[in-house]
Amino acid sequence: MPIRTLPPLLINQIAAGEVVERPANVAKELVENSIDAGASRIEVLVEGGGCDRLRVSDDGCGIPFDELHLAVAAHATSKIGTLEDLDRIASMGFRGEALASIGAVSRLHMASRTASSEAGGSITTEGDRIEGPVPIGCPPGTTVDVQQLFSRTPARRKFLKSEGAETRRIRETVQRLALSHPGIAFTVASGGRILMELAARSEPAERVIDVLGKELRPELLEVEVERDGVSLWGLVGRPSIARPTSRHLQLFLNGRPIVDRSLVHAIREAYRGLIDPGRTPTAILFLEIDPARVDVNVHPTKSEVRFRDDRLIYSVLRHAIMDRLAAADLTPALRIDDDPASRAAVLPSRGVERSFGARSGPGHEHRTWTPVPGEGPRGFDADEARMEMQAPLLATAPAVPVIQVHGSYIVAEDEDGVLIIDQHALHERIMFRTLLDRVTRGTLDSQRMLSPIVVDVDALQLEGLERVGPLLLKLGIEAEPIGLHAVGIHAFPVLLLERRVDPVEFMGELLAKAGTGALPPDEETALQETLDMMSCRAAVKAGDHLNEAEMADLLRQRDLVERSSRCPHGRPTTLRLSIEDLEKQFGRR
Ligand code: ADP
Ligand code: MG
């Protein structure tokens, strides 16, 4: 075939392949146009999963009669004019190709009127035929009616899911855009039913709650920070409402929904140890950054972006969420219910952490933990008990231990009711925080051995030793090969020795992990995992008898340790049985 220039219709159909993969993409483009037009109300009508009909009406600025033909032309936009404009995009659209692309794969009818003109105009495109514009009577605003989508590109139609599934996607797409535009009222209707109706809201938090469902309100925590020109606001869920799907995790950049694996990772990292790794936390987060620091023009649908300083944004996100979670009481409630089958199920936790009436900084609830350097003489908690004494700001009175049951659980009382604590899980959490903190500050003291402790190793473990060199250095562990079948330990953390952690067993396990590649390659994750191993070994075990003073020490530290209601593996450390529940169960109310 000789080289030739493609006809405009084919060019637009090819472009459509990038922008409109399915009806939900059409909905996205049309609703974004309505948002850009300053609409205060946007209505979406769906028929046949969006393939038969997808109509979006708004009360926005409208299009002047003599520009209507341009709106549907390729590369025609009112939103940018120069290359520099690309660096400061404040609108959702700017490529000027959506309407032309959609028109190329459907029959598109558009009616529009500006507020200042008496009559409106309408224009219809079907393939490369354009009819109009012709004057018509219509209210101010714009209606774009897309019919017979993909009827000329059957290949595309084959990839679509069922009508119901496509309709659901459309609704989710509109919902996502609605999250970042609380001031606009939205409706989505299909088959004579309203699928979604959102009233205009003045508070962004209210819109988020409208979308997530009111019942989740007490489970949401507000996050707000500003650092180095990055501002972040949003609501994150308590660990108890993490879900098996990622539908409740949504990120926005300057009002635009984005997909970014690295930032999703940052969010997941913030929940590390708090939720099962197979679940996804609830987090609706809005980033605002100077548009010049982001490239939104890397993907035709603009859902992926490129940040100039991605590390900064990663860290802002991760720390903001971690701090917020640390400041909240995450103790799940032990629910007693009339149905014996669900008795003692762990349920989402207690009351409202705080209302979202007005946006204010999250800082006031922060408890900070400032450990005193230096090791305690013995036992698991001498230091922390001292720190506790010096800690100025405990929000609530600490729990008082009542009894140890089955050598494994501490039953305690606090002002809300009864706490049941898994002693190993809690102590493990405390050890983890203590170790991590000391490693970070460089205050984890080690004990030098008079003569090295010898660990017998195999070839894999010896290889492991090479890999964990930098990690061991951080932990204050000095170890060297002795020949081919042994490793000598010259120094080992005092804290672990005091907790009677056997250096031989610990090193054997660590080196085996490193040797078989079971340790994560990322340094920080590897450190966390190693600290997990250490804390598990150093913690009191189930079955260890604790005297009253030891129980009291553990409980005091519980309040100090960040996120103390979960152990590093995401299991709860503490369950709460509220006094109200007890009263209800005993028929006192
Ligand atoms: P883009 O949004 O990238 O500019 P589009 O093809 O989506 O490109 O739209 C082309 C132009 O048509 C827009 O720049 C805008 O001027 C006009 N337009 C489209 N939809 C609307 C609307 N709902 N209200 C007002 N103007 C609109
Ligand atoms: Mg557009």
Side-chain angles (χ1 to χ4, degrees), residues 348 358 507:
M507 285 300 284

Side-chain angles (χ1 to χ4, degrees), residues 38 53 66 73 153 165 313 322 325 352 371 396 403 439 484 560 576:
R53 186 176 198 191
D66 53 0
T153 44
I313 294 159
M322 276 185 17
L325 291 170
V352 184
T396 50
I403 191 181
V439 168
L484 285 177
L560 286 165
R576 172 180 273 122

